Amino acid sequence: MKNIIKISLISACIGVGLSSCQSDLTSLNDDPKHPSILPSENLLATAMYQSSYYMDNPSVNFNNYRFFTQQWAETQYPDETQYNLVTRNQPRNHFNRMYVYSINNLKQAKMNLVNEVETDDIRTNKLATLEIEEIFIWENIVDTYGDVPYSEAFKPDEILTPKYDDAKTIYLDLIKRIDAVTATIKPAAAGYSDLVYGGNMTKWKKFANSIKLRLGINLADVDPALSKTTVESAIAAGVISSDSEAYKFSYDGNTFSSPVYDNLVASGRNDFIPSQLTINTMSSLSDPRMDVWFTKVGGVYKGGVFGELNDPYTNFSQLSPYFRGATTASNLLSYAEVAFLKAEAAARGYSAGGTAADLYAIAVKESMRENGVNSTIADTYVLANPYNPVNWKQSIGVQAWIAMFNKGFASWNFTRRLDNPTLVNPPKSNLSSVPYRMPYSDQEYVLNGANVSAAANKIGGDKATTKLFWDKF
């Protein structure tokens, strides 16, 4: 409970690191009956849960990724599909969850680990786990907002108002950090009994290289040479190559339930349905995943109109029980995603371990397998929907968008980079186009005003329609 209170207070001052907050937090941690220093493993668990839950959360109050990709529609309250990002303070809420509840705990875990009794190899592996997890969250932050506080963040004793670092500069540093940390891993030694890989450092290393692959592909249109070397080195070093290596955070269904379950079942509300774009696109391709994912209405699939009221709820297809389990894991970097990234790399002329056509087929078939479609049906689907080298962005973009259904952040990266499928700004939108980034937290304008204003001016305006540095076309 004290840690919850602590990180809640930090959320009020993370941008500026006020000394008064530091004093208050110190006094809150004074407890004569309990240890004042939390084990680093506990802090890692908290950070992993918070980041996973809120990266995957479909709530209208948080990231809104599923609306940015237009895969979900709303029923009674269409504000979020009309791209209203002000009323519910989504930019603030996601910013705080990633900085305060996630990275802050990892920073503290690194400090606490120094004084914990471990062998050198185990300590090295534990530090590597904390570092890789932190890099993973930084990638989400940068690809959500663009320029953000980075090099001067989390230094309350030194810097009260951290500057906003250039997003590409952060990218370069994250790639450098991945190379450095993967070189330290001791595969034969244990790490934490963590909630995703259980201390398997080989899997942590593959996860780190897969993050590097993501970063490298995103650089393709802005820095092709760097993109190529980054992607090829990540693949050569070993990326996720099976579902058992995917980064999946599981929930016990009791103390902690899946965020999708919480919003579709536990909430008792019927706010979300698959969009018309999702249903029509998959129907046109005779996609067998529809039978797994959605219910029918009168014997047919019917999607909701994006950006409009879709009421009553019972008139439309709904997300099936497949997504509604309390223990359903948040699959935040899947094997299917990695396979599509490799297919895209090959299409761009990189050495990716296979041809674009072969890697495309592997990616589509893995998504089918992941979603319970048998191999014979998957083979038939790929034959009917083959890779098109003339319009590879459409081939990979549309199929990756489908495969990343219910993986909002991953899907958003593909749609922004490949511009497929075509996302149309709804008629009642609050924006001039579909969103390309999340605006900055409103609290930053109060706590760190000069720096956030400078960042907004640099990127061309703090608007959801401002493209990230790597989103060139």
Side-chain angles (χ1 to χ4, degrees), residues 147-193:
D147 294 9
V148 289
Y150 179 74
S151 62
E152 294 182 353
F154 302 100
K155 298 180 179 180
D157 294 331
E158 305 170 38
I159 300 169
L160 299 180
T161 53
K163 70 177 182 180
Y164 278 58
D165 290 85
D166 173 75
K168 185 177 180 182
T169 302
I170 299 173
Y171 254 57
L172 298 180
D173 193 58
L174 293 178
I175 292 167
K176 181 180 178 181
R177 287 171 67 175
I178 290 170
D179 289 341
V181 71
T182 53
T184 70
I185 289 174
K186 312 292 184 183
Y192 287 109
S193 297

mmCIF file of all heavy atoms in Angstrom, residues 147-193:
data_model
loop_
_atom_site.group_PDB
_atom_site.id
_atom_site.type_symbol
_atom_site.label_atom_id
_atom_site.label_comp_id
_atom_site.label_asym_id
_atom_site.label_seq_id
_atom_site.Cartn_x
_atom_site.Cartn_y
_atom_site.Cartn_z
ATOM 1 N N ASP A 147 8.972 13.206 -29.132
ATOM 2 C CA ASP A 147 9.953 13.760 -28.204
ATOM 3 C C ASP A 147 9.396 13.722 -26.787
ATOM 4 O O ASP A 147 8.254 14.150 -26.558
ATOM 5 C CB ASP A 147 10.284 15.209 -28.565
ATOM 6 C CG ASP A 147 10.994 15.360 -29.901
ATOM 7 O OD1 ASP A 147 11.088 14.368 -30.648
ATOM 8 O OD2 ASP A 147 11.441 16.480 -30.199
ATOM 9 N N VAL A 148 10.175 13.237 -25.841
ATOM 10 C CA VAL A 148 9.720 13.126 -24.446
ATOM 11 C C VAL A 148 10.898 13.345 -23.498
ATOM 12 O O VAL A 148 12.059 13.250 -23.900
ATOM 13 C CB VAL A 148 9.092 11.733 -24.154
ATOM 14 C CG1 VAL A 148 7.751 11.572 -24.847
ATOM 15 C CG2 VAL A 148 10.061 10.611 -24.530
ATOM 16 N N PRO A 149 10.625 13.622 -22.211
ATOM 17 C CA PRO A 149 11.712 13.674 -21.225
ATOM 18 C C PRO A 149 12.403 12.316 -21.133
ATOM 19 O O PRO A 149 11.742 11.291 -20.931
ATOM 20 C CB PRO A 149 10.992 14.019 -19.921
ATOM 21 C CG PRO A 149 9.727 14.700 -20.349
ATOM 22 C CD PRO A 149 9.329 13.993 -21.619
ATOM 23 N N TYR A 150 13.717 12.310 -21.284
ATOM 24 C CA TYR A 150 14.465 11.046 -21.300
ATOM 25 C C TYR A 150 15.775 11.185 -20.539
ATOM 26 O O TYR A 150 15.924 10.670 -19.437
ATOM 27 C CB TYR A 150 14.699 10.614 -22.752
ATOM 28 C CG TYR A 150 15.483 9.338 -22.927
ATOM 29 C CD1 TYR A 150 14.917 8.102 -22.656
ATOM 30 C CD2 TYR A 150 16.794 9.367 -23.388
ATOM 31 C CE1 TYR A 150 15.639 6.921 -22.822
ATOM 32 C CE2 TYR A 150 17.524 8.199 -23.566
ATOM 33 C CZ TYR A 150 16.955 6.976 -23.285
ATOM 34 O OH TYR A 150 17.678 5.821 -23.456
ATOM 35 N N SER A 151 16.719 11.905 -21.083
ATOM 36 C CA SER A 151 18.046 11.966 -20.471
ATOM 37 C C SER A 151 18.041 12.679 -19.125
ATOM 38 O O SER A 151 18.868 12.369 -18.255
ATOM 39 C CB SER A 151 19.035 12.654 -21.415
ATOM 40 O OG SER A 151 18.633 13.989 -21.676
ATOM 41 N N GLU A 152 17.124 13.609 -18.919
ATOM 42 C CA GLU A 152 17.065 14.338 -17.654
ATOM 43 C C GLU A 152 15.920 13.888 -16.762
ATOM 44 O O GLU A 152 15.719 14.454 -15.681
ATOM 45 C CB GLU A 152 16.941 15.847 -17.924
ATOM 46 C CG GLU A 152 18.171 16.441 -18.602
ATOM 47 C CD GLU A 152 18.063 17.943 -18.813
ATOM 48 O OE1 GLU A 152 16.984 18.526 -18.556
ATOM 49 O OE2 GLU A 152 19.062 18.541 -19.240
ATOM 50 N N ALA A 153 15.166 12.874 -17.196
ATOM 51 C CA ALA A 153 14.038 12.384 -16.390
ATOM 52 C C ALA A 153 14.545 11.586 -15.196
ATOM 53 O O ALA A 153 15.639 11.030 -15.219
ATOM 54 C CB ALA A 153 13.123 11.519 -17.245
ATOM 55 N N PHE A 154 13.770 11.541 -14.147
ATOM 56 C CA PHE A 154 14.048 10.749 -12.941
ATOM 57 C C PHE A 154 15.320 11.203 -12.230
ATOM 58 O O PHE A 154 16.068 10.390 -11.693
ATOM 59 C CB PHE A 154 14.113 9.254 -13.280
ATOM 60 C CG PHE A 154 12.857 8.731 -13.902
ATOM 61 C CD1 PHE A 154 12.762 8.563 -15.274
ATOM 62 C CD2 PHE A 154 11.753 8.440 -13.126
ATOM 63 C CE1 PHE A 154 11.589 8.109 -15.859
ATOM 64 C CE2 PHE A 154 10.577 7.973 -13.691
ATOM 65 C CZ PHE A 154 10.495 7.814 -15.057
ATOM 66 N N LYS A 155 15.554 12.510 -12.231
ATOM 67 C CA LYS A 155 16.696 13.077 -11.504
ATOM 68 C C LYS A 155 16.211 14.225 -10.623
ATOM 69 O O LYS A 155 16.640 15.365 -10.774
ATOM 70 C CB LYS A 155 17.764 13.566 -12.478
ATOM 71 C CG LYS A 155 18.367 12.477 -13.338
ATOM 72 C CD LYS A 155 19.431 13.029 -14.279
ATOM 73 C CE LYS A 155 20.052 11.923 -15.119
ATOM 74 N NZ LYS A 155 21.093 12.445 -16.051
ATOM 75 N N PRO A 156 15.312 13.942 -9.673
ATOM 76 C CA PRO A 156 14.683 15.017 -8.890
ATOM 77 C C PRO A 156 15.658 15.814 -8.040
ATOM 78 O O PRO A 156 15.384 16.961 -7.702
ATOM 79 C CB PRO A 156 13.666 14.271 -8.016
ATOM 80 C CG PRO A 156 14.188 12.875 -7.937
ATOM 81 C CD PRO A 156 14.819 12.613 -9.259
ATOM 82 N N ASP A 157 16.790 15.211 -7.679
ATOM 83 C CA ASP A 157 17.768 15.935 -6.867
ATOM 84 C C ASP A 157 18.641 16.863 -7.708
ATOM 85 O O ASP A 157 19.327 17.726 -7.171
ATOM 86 C CB ASP A 157 18.667 14.951 -6.101
ATOM 87 C CG ASP A 157 17.893 14.157 -5.060
ATOM 88 O OD1 ASP A 157 16.896 14.697 -4.544
ATOM 89 O OD2 ASP A 157 18.265 13.001 -4.791
ATOM 90 N N GLU A 158 18.607 16.668 -9.018
ATOM 91 C CA GLU A 158 19.476 17.454 -9.888
ATOM 92 C C GLU A 158 18.697 18.383 -10.816
ATOM 93 O O GLU A 158 19.104 19.527 -11.038
ATOM 94 C CB GLU A 158 20.339 16.521 -10.748
ATOM 95 C CG GLU A 158 21.162 15.509 -9.972
ATOM 96 C CD GLU A 158 21.784 14.470 -10.899
ATOM 97 O OE1 GLU A 158 22.204 14.853 -12.014
ATOM 98 O OE2 GLU A 158 21.836 13.292 -10.528
ATOM 99 N N ILE A 159 17.621 17.888 -11.380
ATOM 100 C CA ILE A 159 16.901 18.622 -12.417
ATOM 101 C C ILE A 159 15.421 18.665 -12.086
ATOM 102 O O ILE A 159 14.761 17.629 -12.001
ATOM 103 C CB ILE A 159 17.124 17.956 -13.793
ATOM 104 C CG1 ILE A 159 18.613 17.947 -14.141
ATOM 105 C CG2 ILE A 159 16.317 18.670 -14.871
ATOM 106 C CD1 ILE A 159 18.955 17.098 -15.344
ATOM 107 N N LEU A 160 14.917 19.865 -11.912
ATOM 108 C CA LEU A 160 13.508 20.023 -11.549
ATOM 109 C C LEU A 160 12.586 19.991 -12.768
ATOM 110 O O LEU A 160 11.428 19.591 -12.668
ATOM 111 C CB LEU A 160 13.311 21.334 -10.790
ATOM 112 C CG LEU A 160 14.089 21.468 -9.466
ATOM 113 C CD1 LEU A 160 13.792 22.814 -8.819
ATOM 114 C CD2 LEU A 160 13.746 20.333 -8.526
ATOM 115 N N THR A 161 13.088 20.440 -13.905
ATOM 116 C CA THR A 161 12.259 20.497 -15.114
ATOM 117 C C THR A 161 13.019 19.836 -16.266
ATOM 118 O O THR A 161 13.779 20.496 -16.974
ATOM 119 C CB THR A 161 11.897 21.950 -15.474
ATOM 120 O OG1 THR A 161 13.111 22.723 -15.534
ATOM 121 C CG2 THR A 161 10.955 22.535 -14.435
ATOM 122 N N PRO A 162 12.853 18.538 -16.461
ATOM 123 C CA PRO A 162 13.618 17.828 -17.487
ATOM 124 C C PRO A 162 13.256 18.271 -18.902
ATOM 125 O O PRO A 162 12.097 18.472 -19.226
ATOM 126 C CB PRO A 162 13.253 16.362 -17.257
ATOM 127 C CG PRO A 162 11.934 16.408 -16.570
ATOM 128 C CD PRO A 162 11.951 17.641 -15.718
ATOM 129 N N LYS A 163 14.280 18.377 -19.728
ATOM 130 C CA LYS A 163 14.066 18.728 -21.127
ATOM 131 C C LYS A 163 13.414 17.569 -21.868
ATOM 132 O O LYS A 163 13.450 16.414 -21.417
ATOM 133 C CB LYS A 163 15.393 19.069 -21.790
ATOM 134 C CG LYS A 163 16.319 17.870 -21.983
ATOM 135 C CD LYS A 163 17.589 18.248 -22.720
ATOM 136 C CE LYS A 163 18.492 17.022 -22.953
ATOM 137 N NZ LYS A 163 19.726 17.362 -23.674
ATOM 138 N N TYR A 164 12.843 17.870 -23.022
ATOM 139 C CA TYR A 164 12.305 16.858 -23.922
ATOM 140 C C TYR A 164 13.383 16.517 -24.941
ATOM 141 O O TYR A 164 13.847 17.386 -25.678
ATOM 142 C CB TYR A 164 11.053 17.370 -24.626
ATOM 143 C CG TYR A 164 9.791 17.241 -23.804
ATOM 144 C CD1 TYR A 164 9.678 17.843 -22.547
ATOM 145 C CD2 TYR A 164 8.706 16.514 -24.269
ATOM 146 C CE1 TYR A 164 8.528 17.710 -21.784
ATOM 147 C CE2 TYR A 164 7.543 16.385 -23.514
ATOM 148 C CZ TYR A 164 7.464 16.984 -22.272
ATOM 149 O OH TYR A 164 6.328 16.849 -21.522
ATOM 150 N N ASP A 165 13.784 15.247 -24.980
ATOM 151 C CA ASP A 165 14.818 14.823 -25.913
ATOM 152 C C ASP A 165 14.217 14.545 -27.287
ATOM 153 O O ASP A 165 13.061 14.115 -27.414
ATOM 154 C CB ASP A 165 15.497 13.561 -25.395
ATOM 155 C CG ASP A 165 16.346 13.820 -24.169
ATOM 156 O OD1 ASP A 165 15.780 13.808 -23.050
ATOM 157 O OD2 ASP A 165 17.551 14.033 -24.318
ATOM 158 N N ASP A 166 15.023 14.757 -28.295
ATOM 159 C CA ASP A 166 14.649 14.430 -29.665
ATOM 160 C C ASP A 166 14.364 12.928 -29.780
ATOM 161 O O ASP A 166 15.137 12.095 -29.305
ATOM 162 C CB ASP A 166 15.792 14.833 -30.597
ATOM 163 C CG ASP A 166 15.565 14.389 -32.016
ATOM 164 O OD1 ASP A 166 14.737 15.004 -32.702
ATOM 165 O OD2 ASP A 166 16.223 13.410 -32.440
ATOM 166 N N ALA A 167 13.256 12.583 -30.412
ATOM 167 C CA ALA A 167 12.827 11.185 -30.463
ATOM 168 C C ALA A 167 13.840 10.298 -31.184
ATOM 169 O O ALA A 167 14.106 9.167 -30.759
ATOM 170 C CB ALA A 167 11.463 11.075 -31.131
ATOM 171 N N LYS A 168 14.425 10.784 -32.271
ATOM 172 C CA LYS A 168 15.412 9.950 -32.962
ATOM 173 C C LYS A 168 16.648 9.749 -32.095
ATOM 174 O O LYS A 168 17.235 8.655 -32.081
ATOM 175 C CB LYS A 168 15.816 10.561 -34.304
ATOM 176 C CG LYS A 168 16.746 9.631 -35.084
ATOM 177 C CD LYS A 168 17.120 10.149 -36.453
ATOM 178 C CE LYS A 168 18.047 9.166 -37.167
ATOM 179 N NZ LYS A 168 18.486 9.660 -38.506
ATOM 180 N N THR A 169 17.038 10.777 -31.352
ATOM 181 C CA THR A 169 18.168 10.628 -30.434
ATOM 182 C C THR A 169 17.876 9.560 -29.386
ATOM 183 O O THR A 169 18.747 8.770 -29.026
ATOM 184 C CB THR A 169 18.481 11.972 -29.751
ATOM 185 O OG1 THR A 169 18.777 12.956 -30.757
ATOM 186 C CG2 THR A 169 19.666 11.857 -28.809
ATOM 187 N N ILE A 170 16.640 9.515 -28.910
ATOM 188 C CA ILE A 170 16.247 8.475 -27.956
ATOM 189 C C ILE A 170 16.319 7.109 -28.630
ATOM 190 O O ILE A 170 16.811 6.136 -28.043
ATOM 191 C CB ILE A 170 14.831 8.735 -27.405
ATOM 192 C CG1 ILE A 170 14.776 10.078 -26.663
ATOM 193 C CG2 ILE A 170 14.399 7.600 -26.469
ATOM 194 C CD1 ILE A 170 13.388 10.485 -26.229
ATOM 195 N N TYR A 171 15.829 7.026 -29.855
ATOM 196 C CA TYR A 171 15.910 5.770 -30.606
ATOM 197 C C TYR A 171 17.352 5.255 -30.656
ATOM 198 O O TYR A 171 17.620 4.073 -30.397
ATOM 199 C CB TYR A 171 15.401 5.997 -32.035
ATOM 200 C CG TYR A 171 14.048 5.417 -32.338
ATOM 201 C CD1 TYR A 171 12.929 5.769 -31.600
ATOM 202 C CD2 TYR A 171 13.870 4.518 -33.384
ATOM 203 C CE1 TYR A 171 11.683 5.256 -31.894
ATOM 204 C CE2 TYR A 171 12.626 3.998 -33.695
ATOM 205 C CZ TYR A 171 11.538 4.366 -32.950
ATOM 206 O OH TYR A 171 10.310 3.836 -33.239
ATOM 207 N N LEU A 172 18.266 6.144 -31.023
ATOM 208 C CA LEU A 172 19.666 5.753 -31.145
ATOM 209 C C LEU A 172 20.214 5.253 -29.812
ATOM 210 O O LEU A 172 20.981 4.282 -29.767
ATOM 211 C CB LEU A 172 20.498 6.928 -31.654
ATOM 212 C CG LEU A 172 20.143 7.458 -33.044
ATOM 213 C CD1 LEU A 172 21.040 8.627 -33.419
ATOM 214 C CD2 LEU A 172 20.239 6.361 -34.090
ATOM 215 N N ASP A 173 19.816 5.913 -28.744
ATOM 216 C CA ASP A 173 20.299 5.497 -27.431
ATOM 217 C C ASP A 173 19.693 4.161 -27.014
ATOM 218 O O ASP A 173 20.374 3.321 -26.422
ATOM 219 C CB ASP A 173 19.982 6.566 -26.385
ATOM 220 C CG ASP A 173 20.734 6.323 -25.079
ATOM 221 O OD1 ASP A 173 21.979 6.271 -25.123
ATOM 222 O OD2 ASP A 173 20.078 6.157 -24.031
ATOM 223 N N LEU A 174 18.425 3.939 -27.323
ATOM 224 C CA LEU A 174 17.792 2.661 -26.988
ATOM 225 C C LEU A 174 18.469 1.507 -27.737
ATOM 226 O O LEU A 174 18.687 0.433 -27.171
ATOM 227 C CB LEU A 174 16.294 2.704 -27.315
ATOM 228 C CG LEU A 174 15.437 3.659 -26.470
ATOM 229 C CD1 LEU A 174 13.993 3.622 -26.945
ATOM 230 C CD2 LEU A 174 15.528 3.331 -24.988
ATOM 231 N N ILE A 175 18.792 1.729 -29.001
ATOM 232 C CA ILE A 175 19.491 0.693 -29.773
ATOM 233 C C ILE A 175 20.855 0.410 -29.150
ATOM 234 O O ILE A 175 21.265 -0.755 -29.000
ATOM 235 C CB ILE A 175 19.628 1.138 -31.246
ATOM 236 C CG1 ILE A 175 18.246 1.168 -31.910
ATOM 237 C CG2 ILE A 175 20.568 0.202 -32.004
ATOM 238 C CD1 ILE A 175 18.224 1.875 -33.254
ATOM 239 N N LYS A 176 21.550 1.477 -28.777
ATOM 240 C CA LYS A 176 22.860 1.325 -28.126
ATOM 241 C C LYS A 176 22.722 0.562 -26.809
ATOM 242 O O LYS A 176 23.540 -0.320 -26.490
ATOM 243 C CB LYS A 176 23.461 2.706 -27.886
ATOM 244 C CG LYS A 176 24.829 2.702 -27.238
ATOM 245 C CD LYS A 176 25.345 4.128 -27.053
ATOM 246 C CE LYS A 176 26.694 4.149 -26.349
ATOM 247 N NZ LYS A 176 27.185 5.548 -26.146
ATOM 248 N N ARG A 177 21.685 0.871 -26.045
ATOM 249 C CA ARG A 177 21.467 0.194 -24.764
ATOM 250 C C ARG A 177 21.151 -1.281 -24.964
ATOM 251 O O ARG A 177 21.577 -2.144 -24.176
ATOM 252 C CB ARG A 177 20.349 0.902 -23.984
ATOM 253 C CG ARG A 177 20.767 2.242 -23.419
ATOM 254 C CD ARG A 177 19.592 3.019 -22.844
ATOM 255 N NE ARG A 177 19.014 2.385 -21.659
ATOM 256 C CZ ARG A 177 18.033 2.945 -20.935
ATOM 257 N NH1 ARG A 177 17.529 4.131 -21.285
ATOM 258 N NH2 ARG A 177 17.559 2.310 -19.871
ATOM 259 N N ILE A 178 20.391 -1.601 -26.006
ATOM 260 C CA ILE A 178 20.078 -3.009 -26.280
ATOM 261 C C ILE A 178 21.358 -3.780 -26.596
ATOM 262 O O ILE A 178 21.591 -4.875 -26.069
ATOM 263 C CB ILE A 178 19.067 -3.133 -27.439
ATOM 264 C CG1 ILE A 178 17.685 -2.633 -26.990
ATOM 265 C CG2 ILE A 178 18.977 -4.588 -27.927
ATOM 266 C CD1 ILE A 178 16.691 -2.482 -28.126
ATOM 267 N N ASP A 179 22.192 -3.213 -27.448
ATOM 268 C CA ASP A 179 23.455 -3.883 -27.785
ATOM 269 C C ASP A 179 24.317 -4.097 -26.539
ATOM 270 O O ASP A 179 24.925 -5.159 -26.372
ATOM 271 C CB ASP A 179 24.229 -3.065 -28.820
ATOM 272 C CG ASP A 179 23.594 -3.099 -30.197
ATOM 273 O OD1 ASP A 179 22.780 -4.008 -30.453
ATOM 274 O OD2 ASP A 179 23.904 -2.213 -31.018
ATOM 275 N N ALA A 180 24.352 -3.083 -25.681
ATOM 276 C CA ALA A 180 25.190 -3.177 -24.481
ATOM 277 C C ALA A 180 24.656 -4.220 -23.506
ATOM 278 O O ALA A 180 25.417 -5.042 -22.975
ATOM 279 C CB ALA A 180 25.280 -1.811 -23.806
ATOM 280 N N VAL A 181 23.359 -4.220 -23.275
ATOM 281 C CA VAL A 181 22.816 -5.111 -22.244
ATOM 282 C C VAL A 181 22.791 -6.564 -22.711
ATOM 283 O O VAL A 181 23.044 -7.478 -21.921
ATOM 284 C CB VAL A 181 21.415 -4.647 -21.788
ATOM 285 C CG1 VAL A 181 20.359 -4.871 -22.861
ATOM 286 C CG2 VAL A 181 21.012 -5.364 -20.501
ATOM 287 N N THR A 182 22.511 -6.815 -23.986
ATOM 288 C CA THR A 182 22.481 -8.204 -24.452
ATOM 289 C C THR A 182 23.876 -8.837 -24.386
ATOM 290 O O THR A 182 23.990 -10.056 -24.218
ATOM 291 C CB THR A 182 21.923 -8.304 -25.879
ATOM 292 O OG1 THR A 182 22.643 -7.412 -26.745
ATOM 293 C CG2 THR A 182 20.447 -7.962 -25.905
ATOM 294 N N ALA A 183 24.901 -8.006 -24.489
ATOM 295 C CA ALA A 183 26.275 -8.527 -24.413
ATOM 296 C C ALA A 183 26.650 -8.976 -23.004
ATOM 297 O O ALA A 183 27.591 -9.747 -22.822
ATOM 298 C CB ALA A 183 27.257 -7.460 -24.900
ATOM 299 N N THR A 184 25.895 -8.516 -22.008
ATOM 300 C CA THR A 184 26.223 -8.864 -20.618
ATOM 301 C C THR A 184 25.530 -10.123 -20.124
ATOM 302 O O THR A 184 25.918 -10.692 -19.107
ATOM 303 C CB THR A 184 25.830 -7.716 -19.663
ATOM 304 O OG1 THR A 184 24.393 -7.621 -19.586
ATOM 305 C CG2 THR A 184 26.408 -6.389 -20.120
ATOM 306 N N ILE A 185 24.483 -10.571 -20.828
ATOM 307 C CA ILE A 185 23.639 -11.670 -20.337
ATOM 308 C C ILE A 185 24.429 -12.971 -20.206
ATOM 309 O O ILE A 185 25.216 -13.333 -21.080
ATOM 310 C CB ILE A 185 22.425 -11.864 -21.264
ATOM 311 C CG1 ILE A 185 21.453 -10.684 -21.093
ATOM 312 C CG2 ILE A 185 21.714 -13.189 -21.003
ATOM 313 C CD1 ILE A 185 20.288 -10.685 -22.067
ATOM 314 N N LYS A 186 24.196 -13.644 -19.094
ATOM 315 C CA LYS A 186 24.814 -14.944 -18.814
ATOM 316 C C LYS A 186 23.729 -16.025 -18.944
ATOM 317 O O LYS A 186 23.004 -16.315 -17.983
ATOM 318 C CB LYS A 186 25.396 -14.978 -17.401
ATOM 319 C CG LYS A 186 26.260 -13.774 -17.038
ATOM 320 C CD LYS A 186 27.548 -13.732 -17.824
ATOM 321 C CE LYS A 186 28.422 -12.571 -17.367
ATOM 322 N NZ LYS A 186 29.657 -12.456 -18.172
ATOM 323 N N PRO A 187 23.576 -16.624 -20.124
ATOM 324 C CA PRO A 187 22.472 -17.565 -20.354
ATOM 325 C C PRO A 187 22.443 -18.760 -19.400
ATOM 326 O O PRO A 187 21.363 -19.289 -19.104
ATOM 327 C CB PRO A 187 22.689 -18.018 -21.798
ATOM 328 C CG PRO A 187 23.502 -16.941 -22.423
ATOM 329 C CD PRO A 187 24.392 -16.435 -21.340
ATOM 330 N N ALA A 188 23.603 -19.186 -18.913
ATOM 331 C CA ALA A 188 23.641 -20.361 -18.041
ATOM 332 C C ALA A 188 23.223 -20.054 -16.613
ATOM 333 O O ALA A 188 22.933 -20.964 -15.830
ATOM 334 C CB ALA A 188 25.053 -20.953 -18.044
ATOM 335 N N ALA A 189 23.167 -18.772 -16.264
ATOM 336 C CA ALA A 189 22.782 -18.377 -14.911
ATOM 337 C C ALA A 189 21.318 -17.962 -14.870
ATOM 338 O O ALA A 189 20.710 -17.661 -15.902
ATOM 339 C CB ALA A 189 23.666 -17.224 -14.429
ATOM 340 N N ALA A 190 20.764 -17.936 -13.680
ATOM 341 C CA ALA A 190 19.362 -17.552 -13.508
ATOM 342 C C ALA A 190 19.227 -16.040 -13.474
ATOM 343 O O ALA A 190 20.197 -15.304 -13.296
ATOM 344 C CB ALA A 190 18.814 -18.152 -12.219
ATOM 345 N N GLY A 191 18.000 -15.600 -13.619
ATOM 346 C CA GLY A 191 17.666 -14.196 -13.427
ATOM 347 C C GLY A 191 16.560 -14.115 -12.397
ATOM 348 O O GLY A 191 16.491 -14.937 -11.483
ATOM 349 N N TYR A 192 15.684 -13.127 -12.526
ATOM 350 C CA TYR A 192 14.519 -13.059 -11.654
ATOM 351 C C TYR A 192 13.541 -14.187 -11.982
ATOM 352 O O TYR A 192 13.501 -14.664 -13.120
ATOM 353 C CB TYR A 192 13.783 -11.733 -11.863
ATOM 354 C CG TYR A 192 14.460 -10.522 -11.301
ATOM 355 C CD1 TYR A 192 15.037 -9.574 -12.148
ATOM 356 C CD2 TYR A 192 14.502 -10.298 -9.932
ATOM 357 C CE1 TYR A 192 15.647 -8.434 -11.643
ATOM 358 C CE2 TYR A 192 15.113 -9.163 -9.410
ATOM 359 C CZ TYR A 192 15.682 -8.234 -10.271
ATOM 360 O OH TYR A 192 16.285 -7.115 -9.763
ATOM 361 N N SER A 193 12.738 -14.563 -11.020
ATOM 362 C CA SER A 193 11.587 -15.428 -11.319
ATOM 363 C C SER A 193 10.469 -14.515 -11.800
ATOM 364 O O SER A 193 9.433 -14.359 -11.145
ATOM 365 C CB SER A 193 11.174 -16.209 -10.067
ATOM 366 O OG SER A 193 12.211 -17.063 -9.645
#
